[in-house]
Amino acid sequence: MPKRSKEKPVKRRSSEEELLLNRAGSSRAQRPPSPLSFLSPSSLFESLIQPMGPEQFFSEASVPTTLNTTRTSTWFRCINGKKKDLNKQGKVKSSVLNKSFTQNKATIQFHQPQRFKDELWKIQEKLECFFGGLVGSNVYITPQESQGLPAHYDDVEVFILQLEGQKNWLLYNPTVPLAAEYCVESWGDLLLDVFPSVLSDRSKREVSLRGGMPRRFLLGDGAGQDTSRQMASLLRSLAEEIETGKQEVRSTHMKRDFITNRLPPHSQEDLLTPSGRIPALEDTVCLMHKDHMVITVEPSQERTDEASEMVVFVLHSLKNQRENHMMGESGDEEEEEDISRGLQFPLSHLQALLQLQKAEQLTVDQLQLPTAEEKCSLVLALWSESLLEVL
């Protein structure tokens, strides 16, 4: 038995873990089989919303967005229609937590338990694959004859799973339709992400967009009817090119934000080193973990005096830190930089990467690159990141 000391205390379960274990331990042996299916992200979602089907669900609901929190647990109570925080600073003892729960009738909230609970990690990782967006979770424990929160609204979509006891839920008409106070995954955010690259591509092809703006426009004197008409004509032209597929639409910042902040694959430790043999030119290969990688076209991040050239990034979440998921925290700066940068390739490699992304399998020699050396170099880089395997 190690000696106890003030400088290096013996590692114990946290009070949050003790509370959850005490409440769950008595029923663990009688737990029924899970009704959830983990065969694929789609099957998990369908089992989660049954007996409702996906078509009905999406005709009546929106895609979930994100929720960021900054602490492991909080506790509070609704008094006279208002939320009263009962939090203490620093670490909390089990006795204090139990007293708040039993005597003060406080609701205890655990933030993002998927960071520690493997079952929730498995569920939420697959839901992030299904939706293509971040999925967080919170656990609330409320004592009998008590209320934790007053009537309120969230600007994220929420699945509520009641695990124990019973509660009356009151649903109201929204005071703000589709509120967007802190979420960053609405159509407006997507347009803000897409439009800079669209306008940049168009200005390279159209001379008029490289001309000077109307005289005194920035001073408020140039915003006449002719200027408004010219802007409207430009936007209609851009919309037509996007609709007909003549203009490529690329999301960059939202892709990067999602892939660098989402959960890593379940059983992450098996993925950190490449498996199988090194791919050769005659081998048949396929991409792995497609739902955990994105391809972006961005300016090179190398600092030079010359204008930045466009390059291709392959970003993935295999090395993401589960413990930081949805907590708004960053790890070591050097490690974070490596994760956010991912793999970088010349723009000439884009079509070969898209080939791999769309195909179930293909031979290395089939890649749309001019030389065998470039083909082998590409698949070797992907294999080294555990993103590609030889069949």
Side-chain angles (χ1 to χ4, degrees):
M1 178 70 69
K3 295 181 179 180
R4 297 183 181 181
S5 66
K6 294 182 179 180
E7 291 78 14
K8 296 182 179 180
V10 178
K11 186 175 182 181
R12 294 175 172 268
R13 286 194 181 102
S14 67
S15 55
E16 296 92 337
E17 292 175 316
E18 292 287 354
L19 183 64
L20 288 175
L21 287 172
N22 290 338
R23 295 175 63 84
S26 61
S27 61
R28 182 173 297 163
Q30 304 174 0
R31 184 177 297 166
S34 172
L36 301 179
S37 170
F38 292 94
L39 296 176
S40 68
S42 296
S43 68
L44 172 62
F45 179 73
E46 290 175 10
S47 65
L48 183 66
I49 64 171
Q50 63 178 335
M52 180 182 289
E55 291 185 4
Q56 179 184 356
F57 178 87
F58 284 110
S59 68
E60 301 173 5
S62 301
V63 176
T65 50
T66 68
L67 174 65
N68 291 324
T69 56
T70 57
R71 288 173 290 186
T72 300
S73 65
T74 57
W75 55 97
F76 44 82
R77 186 180 178 187
C78 179
I79 301 177
N80 297 325
K82 295 183 178 180
K83 176 184 175 182
K84 181 178 180 180
D85 289 319
L86 304 174
N87 297 326
K88 303 293 183 181
Q89 295 295 326
K91 294 182 179 180
V92 61
K93 294 182 178 180
S94 174
S95 59
V96 176
L97 195 65
N98 284 323
K99 180 180 178 180
S100 294
F101 183 78
T102 57
Q103 297 184 22
N104 299 333
K105 298 293 185 180
T107 290
I108 300 173
Q109 176 187 9
F110 298 109
H111 296 297
Q112 311 302 337
Q114 71 278 4
R115 296 175 294 136
F116 316 108
K117 191 71 173 173
D118 283 356
E119 291 86 346
L120 289 174
W121 176 16
K122 186 176 182 180
I123 291 172
Q124 291 175 230
E125 182 255 324
K126 277 193 163 44
L127 288 177
E128 287 187 333
C129 291
F130 179 79
F131 285 110
L134 298 178
V135 177
S137 67
N138 290 300
V139 173
Y140 298 86
I141 304 177
T142 300
Q144 293 182 352
E145 300 179 358
S146 181
Q147 179 180 346
L149 293 167
H152 67 282
Y153 66 84
D154 296 311
D155 77 340
V156 293
E157 284 78 13
V158 177
F159 289 96
I160 298 173
L161 304 178
Q162 179 121 6
L163 303 179
E164 187 176 319
Q166 60 184 9
K167 177 184 289 190
N168 293 324
W169 294 88
L170 300 178
L171 302 180
Y172 302 87
N173 290 326
T175 57
V176 179
L178 292 179
E181 296 176 359
Y182 51 84
C183 72
V184 290
E185 293 184 4
S186 62
W187 269 106
D189 300 305
L190 179 59
L191 291 175
L192 286 173
D193 189 21
V194 164
F195 255 68
S197 64
V198 169
L199 291 173
S200 176
D201 291 347
R202 184 65 179 269
S203 64
K204 293 175 182 178
R205 305 193 312 266
E206 189 168 323
V207 176
S208 62
L209 288 179
R210 302 197 294 269
M213 68 177 69
R215 187 176 65 86
R216 294 183 59 83
F217 179 83
L218 300 181
L219 296 175
D221 295 343
Q225 187 174 5
D226 289 342
T227 301
S228 299
R229 188 180 297 113
Q230 187 174 355
M231 284 188 176
S233 176
L234 168 64
L235 293 175
R236 281 193 295 268
S237 177
L238 284 174
E240 183 178 349
E241 287 197 355
I242 292 173
E243 186 174 12
T244 57
K246 296 179 181 179
Q247 172 63 55
E248 182 183 3
V249 177
R250 298 192 302 267
S251 170
T252 298
H253 299 294
M254 293 182 72
K255 277 187 176 182
R256 183 178 285 271
D257 179 74
F258 169 56
I259 212 67
T260 57
N261 287 289
R262 66 160 304 182
L263 280 166
H266 193 247
S267 300
Q268 176 189 25
E269 60 274 7
D270 299 331
L271 308 175
L272 299 182
T273 56
S275 60
R277 59 186 176 84
I278 296 176
L281 189 64
E282 66 278 5
D283 284 330
T284 299
V285 298
C286 71
L287 279 185
M288 304 167 61
H289 315 295
K290 290 184 180 181
D291 285 341
H292 283 269
M293 60 167 284
V294 296
I295 299 173
T296 68
V297 177
E298 309 175 47
S300 172
Q301 296 181 1
E302 296 180 0
R303 299 178 180 178
T304 62
D305 294 334
E306 300 178 0
S308 297
E309 62 174 341
M310 301 300 288
V311 296
V312 181
F313 285 97
V314 175
L315 310 174
H316 65 83
S317 59
L318 303 191
K319 298 178 183 178
N320 286 6
Q321 298 300 306
R322 169 195 178 192
E323 293 77 12
N324 296 332
H325 184 243
M326 303 297 289
M327 295 300 291
E329 299 174 358
S330 59
D332 181 79
E333 291 184 2
E334 182 177 354
E335 180 180 14
E336 185 182 358
E337 182 179 355
D338 290 340
I339 295 173
S340 64
R341 287 179 65 89
L343 295 171
Q344 178 177 326
F345 299 99
L347 190 59
S348 59
H349 285 48
L350 177 60
Q351 291 306 314
L353 287 166
L354 294 177
Q355 271 185 280
L356 287 166
Q357 189 179 48
K358 295 175 182 178
E360 291 293 330
Q361 61 183 51
L362 76 168
T363 63
V364 177
D365 192 44
Q366 289 178 298
L367 292 174
Q368 296 180 16
L369 287 169
T371 67
E373 182 181 359
E374 288 177 301
K375 296 174 183 179
C376 290
S377 176
L378 172 62
V379 294
L380 177 59
L382 295 170
W383 176 84
S384 299
E385 290 288 306
S386 299
L387 295 173
L388 180 138
E389 68 174 343
V390 179
L391 299 179

